[in-house]
């Protein structure tokens, strides 16, 4: 493989790793900050991707035997072009809105109850979304999938070098989301979420409406996942219900957050790169190591091992790093009883 | 029939058969959930593993001893499956206890939260599925079988003999669990621990044994449920257990977490609803039906149909 090929590969790798980093950030809002257990990431992944794809794809072509009813074709409305492909952002916003809405509905039913119900409900969302897109051919062409998803600023750059443009787009979106999540985490709002995670009863006793905060966190994280789904749709530009299997759309993301360190946004991004690197790298290994089943087994073992040995992940939460510093001169532990 | 004349009775019968498989899984899940405070996401994969262990016994071990066969009496499967059923239950029960010693006990001792325990169980679920795929491949398998006539009953009800077998096994096992929980010392200790763990501890209940028995019973029931599922579906797939989680949890929540009798009723309700729904909607939406029932119950009676309404 020549050096150009290697760089092309690395660029493609980095795009996927950064898209995964967006999902990991969303999951960090759920689990890392608030302790919400979302095991149906695939559901939001699919909703975000399909929303963006359906709004921007051209209408169905009967000659291609496409029998879905709606393609928003936003990419071909002059009003939304303006030379900067504004439709792209509209699609992303819609993806975030749809995911947020679904999270709002399901969250408001389950979050006021037992915590565990949310996790089972997310599993139900993921399965229902998958079944919907698989069975309702009119919605998004069923298992044949959508394959005419437009490129953002696709006219600017030749197709073979397009990834070099898209990596910048993904990087910018990731940076914006990272800053947003980071600011949210450090705000009073974020502190309430962490308080809920650590001790719900005490937080409620301090006058915080726990289930409202949980719901906000659930919706916020789901919207981030929607953005990730939209970016994914315009990157791979082919979606079918099979794209969103639990392994690559839910479990891998959990492994990323676990490795990187839940509660730490930088850790979430780092974890996405490390795990995706290991995942992509092992496919070149000989024998059993590149076997998808073996890699599935290893992801499970990895999650259990981290839970047992290092629940904080590689980086751990910032708070814990601070706690390791020597105590201030006054002899009082600055971090309190923790 | 006077009630719901528009419902096909055949679907109700299928639902009861399917519901009894859900029940065996859900009873174990609800016991673990109530006693160990762990919503075990690996429970479906314990089922799948049990089904595959039985497959190994039927397809790999017993033929070497010259024991083979299919089409026992009216059933599609053969005598080997009857041998494999208890063996697989023992293997999975011991496996579940071993995983507790290896993982969950350490987490409990560290005072880990419910969410951490569930996270670990998700890891276990993924690992088991990977292992099953690695050993038996991701392809569809099935126990050796011969096709058999279905029973034709009045009112256009058709029951496959296998379904009857599944229902009978389920009834026997549920009765067994009932006897165990009601009359044995360990069963009473289990119920006491489920109601109030700290009170159970101070009254001198050996919680270690309670934990082992809970996993043992849960694992054994899961394995048998897995084998029976593979029998009624006439196939084994590594994903079958994960796919079964939604009906399992729906039954558990319907019956109230920690309540095995509630789980039994919940399982029958979920099973029958899933089957009867196919009269109007696409059968592949069955898991979504279970999910919808669960959401409906959470809205109306958050603590299950037998729990206190909030």
């Amino acid at each position: 493989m020549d050096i150009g090929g290697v760089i092309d590969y690395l660029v493609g790798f980095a795009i996927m790793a950064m898209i995964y980093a967006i999902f990991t950030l969303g999951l960090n809002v759920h689990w890392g900050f608030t302790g919400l257990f979302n095991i149906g990431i695939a559901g939001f992944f699919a909703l975000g991707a399909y929303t963006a794809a359906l709004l921007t794809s051209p209408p169905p072509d009967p000659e291609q035997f496409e029998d879905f009813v709606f393609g928003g074709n936003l990419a071909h409305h002059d009003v939304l072009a303006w030379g900067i492909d504004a439709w792209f952002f509209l699609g992303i916003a819609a993806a975030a809105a749809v995911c947020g809405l679904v999270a709002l509905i399901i969250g408001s039913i389950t979050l006021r109850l037992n915590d565990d119900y949310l996790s089972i409900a997310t599993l139900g969302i993921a399965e229902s979304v998958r079944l919907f897109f698989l069975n309702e051919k009119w919605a998004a062409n069923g298992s044949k999938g959508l394959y005419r998803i437009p490129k953002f600023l696709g006219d600017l750059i030749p197709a073979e070098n397009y990834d070099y443009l898209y990596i910048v787009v993904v990087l910018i979106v990731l940076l914006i989301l990272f800053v947003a999540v980071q600011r949210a985490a450090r705000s009073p709002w974020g502190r309430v979420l962490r308080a809920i995670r650590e001790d719900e009863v005490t937080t409620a006793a301090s006058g915080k409406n726990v289930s409202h905060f949980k719901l906000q966190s659930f919706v916020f994280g789901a919207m981030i996942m929607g953005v990730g789904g939209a970016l994914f749709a315009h990157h791979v530009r082919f979606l079918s219900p099979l794209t969103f299997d639990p392994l690559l759309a839910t479990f891998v993301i959990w492994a990323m957050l676990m490795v990187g360190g839940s509660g730490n946004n930088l850790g979430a991004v780092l974890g996405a790169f490390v795990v995706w690197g290991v995942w992509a790298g092992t496919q070149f290994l000989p024998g059993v190591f590149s076997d998808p089943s073996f890699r599935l087994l290893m992801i499970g073992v990895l999650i259990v091992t981290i839970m047992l040995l290092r629940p904080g992940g590689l980086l751990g939460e910032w708070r814990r790093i601070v706690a390791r510093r020597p105590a201030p001169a006054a002899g009082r532990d600055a971090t309190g009883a923790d | 029939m006077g009630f719901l004349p528009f419902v096909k009775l055949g679907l109700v019968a299928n639902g009861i058969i399917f519901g009894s498989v859900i029940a065996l899984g859900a009873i174990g899940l609800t016991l673990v959930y109530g006693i160990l405070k762990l919503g075990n996401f690996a429970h479906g994969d314990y089922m799948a593993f049990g089904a595959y262990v039985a497959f190994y016994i039927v397809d790999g071990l017993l033929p070497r001893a010259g024991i083979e066969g299919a089409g026992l009496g009216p059933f599609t499967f053969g005598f080997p499956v009857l041998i494999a059923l208890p063996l697989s239950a023992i293997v999975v029960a011991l496996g579940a206890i071993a995983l507790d010693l290896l993982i969950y006990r350490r987490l409990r001792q560290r005072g880990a939260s419910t969410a951490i325990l569930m996270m670990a169980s998700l890891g276990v679920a993924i690992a088991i599925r990977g292992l099953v795929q690695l050993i038996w491949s991701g392809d569809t398998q099935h126990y050796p079988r011969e096709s058999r006539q279905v029973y034709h009953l009045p009112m256009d009800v058709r029951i496959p003999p296998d379904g009857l077998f599944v229902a009978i096994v389920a009834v026997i096992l549920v009765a067994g669990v009932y006897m165990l929980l009601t009359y044995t010392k360990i069963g009473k200790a289990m119920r006491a621990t489920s109601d109030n763990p700290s009170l159970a501890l101070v009254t001198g209940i050996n919680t270690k044994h309670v934990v082992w028995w809970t996993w043992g019973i849960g694992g054994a029931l899961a394995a048998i449920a897995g084998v029976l599922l593979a029998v009624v579906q006439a196939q084994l797939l590594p994903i079958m257990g994960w796919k079964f989680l939604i009906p399992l949890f729906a039954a558990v929540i319907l019956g109230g977490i920690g309540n095995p009798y509630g789980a039994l009723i919940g399982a029958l309700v979920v099973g029958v609803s899933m089957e009867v729904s196919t009269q109007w909607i696409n059968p592949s939406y069955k898991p979504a039906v279970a999910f919808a029932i669960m959401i409906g119950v959470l809205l109306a009676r958050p603590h299950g149909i037998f729990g206190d309404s909030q």
Side-chain angles (χ1 to χ4, degrees), chain B residues 194-278:
Chain B
S194 178
D195 283 346
N196 191 333
S198 30
L199 191 61
L201 197 63
V202 296
T203 49
I205 286 174
N206 187 336
T207 42
K208 195 168 77 181
H209 287 174
V210 167
V211 169
W212 289 355
W213 274 92
T214 306
W215 279 116
I217 294 169
L221 289 178
I224 293 171
V227 176
L228 296 182
L229 182 65
V231 166
V232 284
Q233 291 187 339
Q235 63 172 22
L236 295 98
L237 267 176
I239 196 85
M240 64 192 262
W242 181 258
K243 296 265 174 202
F244 215 65
L245 272 188
I246 295 173
L248 281 184
F249 273 103
V252 166
I253 289 173
L254 214 63
I257 289 171
N259 180 350
Y261 314 121
L264 171 66
I265 305 295
L268 291 174
V269 171
V270 170
V272 171
S273 312
M274 283 169 81
E275 289 299 325
V276 169
S277 74
T278 61

Side-chain angles (χ1 to χ4, degrees), chain A residues 45-289:
Chain A
F45 197 151
L47 275 177
Y50 268 112
T51 303
L54 279 173
L55 282 176
T56 56
S57 292
D61 180 358
E63 286 184 19
Q64 305 271 349
F65 304 106
E66 294 176 340
D67 46 10
F68 59 102
V69 296
F70 180 76
N73 207 14
L74 288 182
H76 292 87
H77 283 287
D78 291 341
V79 199
L80 291 168
W82 300 325
I84 55 159
D85 281 3
W87 53 266
F88 179 72
F89 304 102
L90 211 63
I92 289 181
V98 167
C99 287
L101 188 67
V102 170
L104 184 69
I105 295 167
I106 297 297
S108 53
I109 297 170
T110 52
L111 279 172
R112 61 196 171 89
L113 308 168
N114 183 333
D115 253 11
D116 315 339
Y117 291 162
L118 178 79
S119 51
I120 301 150
T122 55
L123 189 68
I125 298 172
E127 184 66 6
S128 304
V129 167
R130 198 185 65 82
L131 288 174
F132 176 81
F133 284 114
L134 196 60
N135 291 308
E136 306 303 321
K137 290 196 176 57
W138 57 268
N141 215 21
S143 56
K144 277 185 279 179
L146 299 173
Y147 44 85
R148 287 187 289 153
I149 303 167
K151 282 177 180 172
F152 172 56
L153 296 177
D155 308 333
L156 284 189
I157 193 160
E160 66 269 24
N161 291 329
Y162 180 72
D163 275 2
Y164 288 86
L165 183 143
Y166 202 67
I167 192 173
V168 179
V169 175
V170 177
L171 180 64
I172 292 170
V173 176
L174 175 61
L175 280 177
I176 292 171
L177 289 176
F178 182 84
V179 171
V181 173
Q182 192 74 354
R183 287 184 70 105
R186 294 190 175 171
S187 70
W189 184 74
R191 281 201 298 276
V192 175
L193 296 187
R194 282 196 298 277
I196 291 172
R197 185 194 62 193
E198 296 300 326
D199 191 338
E200 217 175 298
V201 178
T202 313
T203 317
S206 330
K208 305 293 179 196
N209 188 333
V210 168
S211 48
H212 274 198
F213 276 95
K214 280 187 185 172
L215 186 59
Q216 288 161 8
S217 159
F218 188 53
V219 171
F220 182 42
M223 289 173 80
I224 295 172
M225 291 174 180
V227 174
L231 289 179
F232 176 82
H234 291 289
H235 173 55
V236 301
R237 302 190 13 259
F238 169 75
L239 297 181
S240 94
L242 301 179
T243 316
F244 306 101
D245 78 324
L247 170 59
L248 280 174
T250 296
F251 301 149
V252 162
I253 297 164
W254 268 105
M256 288 165 176
L257 185 64
M258 293 291 111
V259 166
S262 49
N264 184 327
N265 291 321
L266 209 57
V269 176
L270 177 79
F273 272 85
V274 169
V275 171
W276 191 240
V278 173
W279 184 267
T282 47
Q283 68 187 345
F284 300 116
L285 290 177
V288 72
F289 296 105

